[in-house]
Amino acid sequence: MATNRVVLIVVDALRFDTACSHMGYMQHLIENGKAARYKVRSEVPSLSRPLYETILTGTPPVVHGINSNRTVRLSTQQSLFHLAKNSGKTTAAAAYYWVSELYNSAPFNEMQDRIQLDTKLLIENGLFYFEDHYPDSHLFAEASWLMEKKQPDFLYIHPMNVDDDGHKFTADSKEYRNRVLSVDALLSVFLPLCKEQGYDVIITADHGMTADGNHGGNTAEDRHVPLFVMSEKIAAGISDELLSQLMIAPLACRLLEIEPSKAMVPLKMEECLLV
């Protein structure tokens, strides 16, 4: 059931190699012809706020100007939220508060901006958390509520616990690996709901995590992240191609069937698109 609706899930700090070795449910979908997997090379600096903007606008930091986590302002680019809304589609997000600061209101007010249900905003239905240890399980429950009650055309979901455990224990730790297992288990419950509602699903990460418990640099551990796609428009299986992170926004536009912004680079996955 194709409805030209998309769920974009950004698992903060999910390394490519750990995703491949510890996300058993996602591998199950790949082996059974229900999902595709790619390796993505993130932009640099491999930091969260710059790469949220890159993923959602399809532009690098040198263009969008969000160069560090300390840059607190609204986006100046045409994001997926802008493009969807301008195309008559509805938007929603269950995400970290930095996403609100990029697209709805900056700076974030913890007492007022936690729940934002306002059709005048770019993110019309937003549930935003502001503590890194906020449980991923709660976040996916909130995303499920948004999907069921608000029926958005574009739903953005951003869990933080993998990043939180990576900083606390490093990527070379049982805690980090077990957290990736936990996210995979949550996806095994949530993704069937997406399918029932007729959504295409994109799952990726902003950046990776190093054995030092950090990120921001130019190593494969910093920059290589997974891209999983569940859509009848994308051929299932594993691709050996290394994709630019700039491909994610135009891919979402293709699945939403909306025009990409003029600043986005052309989508270079044509051989993988079925329709």
Side-chain angles (χ1 to χ4, degrees), residues 56-74:
L56 285 161
T57 68
T59 59
V62 71
V63 171
H64 61 61
I66 306 293
N67 295 316
S68 78
N69 289 337
R70 297 182 180 183
T71 308
V72 181
R73 63 163 171 79
L74 289 171

Side-chain angles (χ1 to χ4, degrees), residues 75-149:
S75 171
T76 61
Q77 303 299 305
Q78 288 291 297
S79 72
L80 292 172
F81 296 113
H82 292 84
L83 298 171
K85 194 170 175 65
N86 291 341
S87 299
K89 293 181 178 290
T90 55
T91 61
Y96 195 54
Y97 75 99
W98 288 359
V99 175
S100 173
E101 289 183 324
L102 282 167
Y103 308 109
N104 271 7
S105 178
F108 186 86
N109 185 316
E110 294 180 0
M111 296 297 105
Q112 298 178 6
D113 296 339
R114 167 81 171 93
I115 299 173
Q116 301 178 37
L117 305 178
D118 185 345
T119 57
K120 297 183 182 67
L121 296 173
L122 278 178
I123 304 174
E124 299 170 324
N125 299 287
L127 303 177
F128 300 103
Y129 63 97
F130 45 86
E131 294 177 332
D132 293 13
H133 60 274
Y134 186 75
D136 289 350
S137 57
H138 291 41
L139 184 73
F140 276 100
E142 291 167 354
S144 179
W145 182 87
L146 286 169
M147 189 166 59
E148 176 70 23
K149 301 300 183 183

Side-chain angles (χ1 to χ4, degrees), residues 106-271:
F108 186 86
N109 185 316
E110 294 180 0
M111 296 297 105
Q112 298 178 6
D113 296 339
R114 167 81 171 93
I115 299 173
Q116 301 178 37
L117 305 178
D118 185 345
T119 57
K120 297 183 182 67
L121 296 173
L122 278 178
I123 304 174
E124 299 170 324
N125 299 287
L127 303 177
F128 300 103
Y129 63 97
F130 45 86
E131 294 177 332
D132 293 13
H133 60 274
Y134 186 75
D136 289 350
S137 57
H138 291 41
L139 184 73
F140 276 100
E142 291 167 354
S144 179
W145 182 87
L146 286 169
M147 189 166 59
E148 176 70 23
K149 301 300 183 183
K150 300 299 182 179
Q151 293 284 304
D153 296 301
F154 177 58
L155 173 59
Y156 178 82
I157 305 170
H158 172 224
M160 183 66 79
N161 291 170
V162 172
D163 181 77
D164 190 41
D165 279 352
H167 285 304
K168 290 174 178 174
F169 306 106
T170 83
D172 188 20
S173 68
K174 65 180 181 181
E175 289 84 0
Y176 179 83
R177 292 186 290 269
N178 285 339
R179 186 62 67 183
V180 175
L181 287 171
S182 177
V183 170
D184 186 64
L186 289 170
L187 291 173
S188 74
V189 176
F190 183 74
L191 294 186
L193 301 178
C194 297
K195 183 178 180 181
E196 289 174 9
Q197 296 288 334
Y199 284 90
D200 288 336
V201 180
I202 300 170
I203 304 169
T204 189
D206 47 350
H207 53 71
M209 180 67 64
T210 71
D212 294 332
N214 217 330
H215 52 84
N218 189 37
T219 69
E221 291 75 16
D222 285 287
R223 299 186 69 179
H224 287 180
V225 299
L227 171 64
F228 299 100
V229 186
M230 295 175 58
S231 171
E232 294 179 357
K233 301 173 185 176
I234 301 293
I238 296 174
S239 172
D240 294 327
E241 182 181 6
L242 179 63
L243 294 179
S244 165
Q245 196 170 46
L246 301 178
M247 292 294 104
I248 295 172
L251 170 62
C253 288
R254 176 66 66 88
L255 297 182
L256 285 163
E257 296 194 357
I258 61 177
E259 287 294 319
S261 75
K262 293 180 180 179
M264 290 180 186
V265 298
L267 183 62
K268 297 179 180 178
M269 297 171 60
E270 297 298 332
E271 70 279 5

Side-chain angles (χ1 to χ4, degrees), residues 4-30:
N4 305 322
R5 298 193 296 178
V6 169
V7 173
L8 171 57
I9 303 171
V10 176
V11 182
D12 208 288
L14 176 62
R15 277 171 50 149
F16 177 78
D17 55 356
T18 312
C20 293
S21 61
H22 281 69
M23 299 188 82
Y25 176 69
M26 296 309 303
Q27 182 63 27
H28 166 73
L29 294 177
I30 293 166

